[in-house]
Amino acid sequence: MTLFRHALPEETPDRFLLLDRLDSCDETGATARRAFTAAPPWQGLEAMAQLAALHARWTADFKLHAFLLTVEECTWPDHVPAADMRPDMRPGMPRLTPGGALRGTLRIGACLLAESDRAATYATTITPLPAFSDAALAPAPPCMAATLTIGRTAYDTRFNGDTLTARYRETFAWLTRTA
């Protein structure tokens, strides 16, 4: 049997919260940002899922467990710069890492499309932020996009509601800090 840590991609970040700051959050969705340094595209998908799940928890006052249920229509960065290609060290795996790397400070968006008591569906995107602020600049097109469905359910004996409610409230407060 393979230990789960050996099954994780080599590029798993030390801290697995892939949001640096929450810029906005209201009934219609949320936006956040993350500074990436040559991150593989799967980390972008994870960041979009984390933002959508955080919003789903926030709309339920952090009293429900939220988890990624489905990923549809996911687009990846287009090109693969030579610097992003690397040999894979695990036997039987592809010799090159596909997809362009995510670099720089990127805006992550999660727009609520539909919701029920048990799930919420979001249009999510990752878009480069301009290096400087200029209202005349047209926004950059998304480098990643996906439609994500986040499942929501009551906490139970496997997921302690008191502990997790406090944890996600604290995470939300940290992400919305002003300093």
Side-chain angles (χ1 to χ4, degrees):
M1 175 164 50
T2 301
L3 295 174
F4 87 93
R5 74 173 185 269
H6 295 298
L8 289 174
E10 292 177 21
E11 304 89 1
T12 304
D14 291 334
R15 67 177 182 100
F16 207 62
L17 177 60
L18 294 178
L19 306 173
D20 292 335
R21 185 172 104 191
L22 192 63
D23 292 324
S24 69
C25 186
D26 62 25
E27 294 77 23
T28 63
T31 61
R33 62 182 66 194
R34 169 73 178 183
F36 287 102
T37 306
W42 69 263
Q43 287 187 19
L45 178 58
E46 177 64 28
M48 292 186 294
Q50 287 182 11
L51 180 60
L54 184 64
H55 185 265
R57 290 180 182 103
W58 178 80
T59 61
D61 196 29
F62 301 99
K63 295 178 183 171
L64 293 176
H65 183 52
F67 53 93
L68 180 62
L69 195 57
T70 65
V71 176
E72 298 178 41
E73 304 172 17
C74 185
T75 60
W76 296 89
D78 289 342
H79 70 292
V80 183
D84 295 341
M85 304 296 266
R86 65 164 182 74
D88 197 298
M89 304 310 284
R90 291 173 293 203
M93 298 299 286
R95 298 296 299 162
L96 300 173
T97 301
L102 299 171
R103 287 189 169 79
T105 301
L106 304 177
R107 178 185 178 275
I108 304 157
C111 179
L112 181 63
L113 298 175
E115 69 178 325
S116 69
D117 291 342
R118 306 291 304 258
T121 301
Y122 294 86
T124 62
T125 57
I126 294 183
T127 308
L129 286 174
F132 55 91
S133 179
D134 186 350
L137 288 177
C143 60
M144 288 186 73
T147 302
L148 306 179
T149 300
I150 303 297
R152 295 188 293 200
T153 189
Y155 291 115
D156 59 20
T157 56
R158 293 176 300 156
F159 301 102
N160 182 296
D162 293 337
T163 301
L164 292 174
T165 295
R167 175 183 175 180
Y168 290 118
R169 283 183 195 275
E170 182 179 309
T171 299
F172 188 87
W174 183 81
L175 289 170
T176 56
R177 69 201 183 280
T178 57

